[in-house]
Amino acid sequence: MADEKILVGVIGGSGLYHLDNLTFVKEVYPETPWGFPSSPITIASLPSGAQVAFLARHGKHHTYSPSTVPSRANIASLKSLGVRTIIAFSAVGSLREEIAPGHFALPNQIIDRTKGIRPTTFFDETNIVAHTAFGDPFTNKLLEWLEGRIRKALEDDGKGVKLHTGKCIVCMEGPQFSTRAESVMYRMWGGDLINMSVLPEAKLAREAEIGYALIATATDYDSWRPHSDSVTAAEVFKTLKQNADTSRHVAAAVLEDLVKETNLLEAEAGSMKFSIMPRTAEQKASDLKKLSYVLPDYFS
């Protein structure tokens, strides 16, 4: 546990392994009931002195594939530090011509194309059942708050990067990229973006009553364009560094204001109150202790 509560967490995706434009304070590496997070968590200080937590989703040296990221430990470790809101960054493929490589997007919906091999809930391996509301998979109040601030940060950065909002992101299993047929199908379904990381991260954040928004950074056009080469890792790498530099600028620009938004930081507080099925005498003390790590208000 940290000595003081850190209210805002940042999760960095491919290419974004640190926030070196903020002041380093210390590293922590909490062990949770679901193991250790994918990287030590960096506590960094904003110019105001407020602190934020940064975690590299795939590890500092990109050692976790999308299917093996310890997402439960990642979310639980951030919650243990006091985090109430997460801003997550992720490299994505674009399924729409207007979302060009280098552009940013704030999705508001998700299509799940993972294959059931990723643990998706903190309630597995317990005899406690919860059915979490997930119709709006991102915290809408947070999305609305972020939109104007990200647009301004991108304008101030002066690179001509556009922000797209109200988009649907497809989360596929990977680690292989889509076939051309799949890419076309996702477009027909209404998908605008595709990645391999937003789930189960967003589901677990909701279960932990943590506000969550994804800032998606487009690196490629996936495989749907009939007269273009299909996406390759080499193509993605060309755009990753530029996107990461812009992501660091955006993060620094929005975090200073976000840490002051007390009501916004509590947007998901109480959201699990009616999701947990009525308690029975069969609940085990070990399960209650485990779940209290992420939901202390219900399992103390």
Side-chain angles (χ1 to χ4, degrees):
M1 294 282 192
D3 296 329
E4 59 184 287
K5 296 297 184 182
I6 312 294
L7 297 178
V8 176
V10 178
I11 297 178
S14 298
L16 185 62
Y17 308 111
H18 53 77
L19 290 178
D20 57 2
N21 54 343
L22 302 183
T23 303
F24 175 85
V25 175
K26 61 182 176 181
E27 276 190 347
V28 296
Y29 197 39
E31 183 176 13
T32 78
W34 298 274
F36 287 96
S38 53
S39 74
I41 298 171
T42 298
I43 308 301
S45 176
L46 299 167
S48 66
Q51 295 183 357
V52 297
F54 176 84
L55 186 152
R57 181 185 292 116
H58 298 285
K60 282 190 171 182
H61 305 288
H62 208 109
T63 49
Y64 289 95
S65 76
S67 302
T68 62
V69 169
S71 294
R72 290 188 295 185
N74 287 350
I75 299 301
S77 62
L78 290 172
K79 182 65 181 280
S80 77
L81 300 176
V83 166
R84 305 298 304 194
T85 295
I86 292 172
I87 305 297
F89 289 84
S90 178
V92 304
S94 168
L95 298 174
R96 302 293 165 188
E97 191 70 41
E98 65 271 18
I99 307 175
H103 286 189
F104 279 41
L106 277 175
N108 65 349
Q109 278 297 326
I110 304 172
I111 294 174
D112 188 356
R113 282 284 290 167
T114 59
K115 298 178 181 177
I117 63 176
R118 311 178 186 195
T120 61
T121 176
F122 290 113
F123 292 85
D124 276 351
E125 301 155 4
T126 75
N127 61 352
I128 300 168
V129 177
H131 297 287
T132 307
F134 203 60
D136 294 305
F138 302 100
T139 302
N140 285 335
K141 289 181 180 179
L142 182 58
L143 293 180
E144 293 168 6
W145 185 91
L146 283 169
E147 181 177 350
R149 286 161 178 82
I150 294 175
R151 287 194 193 281
K152 184 178 186 306
L154 292 175
E155 290 172 6
D156 292 345
D157 200 34
K159 296 176 183 174
V161 175
K162 294 183 179 180
L163 175 68
H164 303 268
T165 59
K167 301 303 180 183
C168 178
I169 186 167
V170 178
C171 187
M172 63 177 289
E173 191 62 60
Q176 298 83 5
F177 293 119
S178 308
T179 66
R180 291 189 184 276
E182 288 169 335
S183 196
V184 170
M185 177 181 71
Y186 298 146
R187 281 167 48 82
M188 293 173 64
W189 283 359
D192 303 298
L193 310 162
I194 184 165
N195 87 335
M196 303 176 189
S197 298
V198 70
L199 295 176
E201 201 170 86
K203 290 183 176 181
L204 295 167
R206 181 62 54 82
E207 283 194 347
E209 294 191 340
I210 298 175
Y212 182 91
L214 184 78
I215 299 177
T217 61
T219 58
D220 58 85
Y221 277 117
D222 203 51
S223 301
W224 58 270
R225 297 165 104 202
H227 303 297
S228 299
D229 292 337
S230 60
V231 60
T232 65
E235 180 184 357
V236 170
F237 292 150
K238 289 178 184 178
T239 315
L240 273 181
K241 184 180 185 305
Q242 177 184 327
N243 282 359
D245 290 341
T246 306
S247 295
R248 277 187 279 272
H249 171 78
V250 167
V254 303
L255 290 174
E256 193 68 78
D257 289 336
L258 181 57
V259 295
K260 303 170 186 173
E261 295 286 337
T262 305
N263 292 336
L264 184 60
L265 296 177
E266 296 294 329
E268 296 296 345
S271 60
M272 288 293 291
K273 184 175 183 180
F274 300 108
S275 298
I276 302 163
M277 302 305 289
R279 300 186 179 189
T280 70
E282 297 178 0
Q283 289 185 340
K284 299 176 184 177
S286 58
D287 290 344
L288 298 176
K289 181 179 179 181
K290 185 177 186 179
L291 291 170
S292 71
Y293 199 89
V294 289
L295 290 170
D297 291 344
Y298 310 116
F299 301 101
S300 55

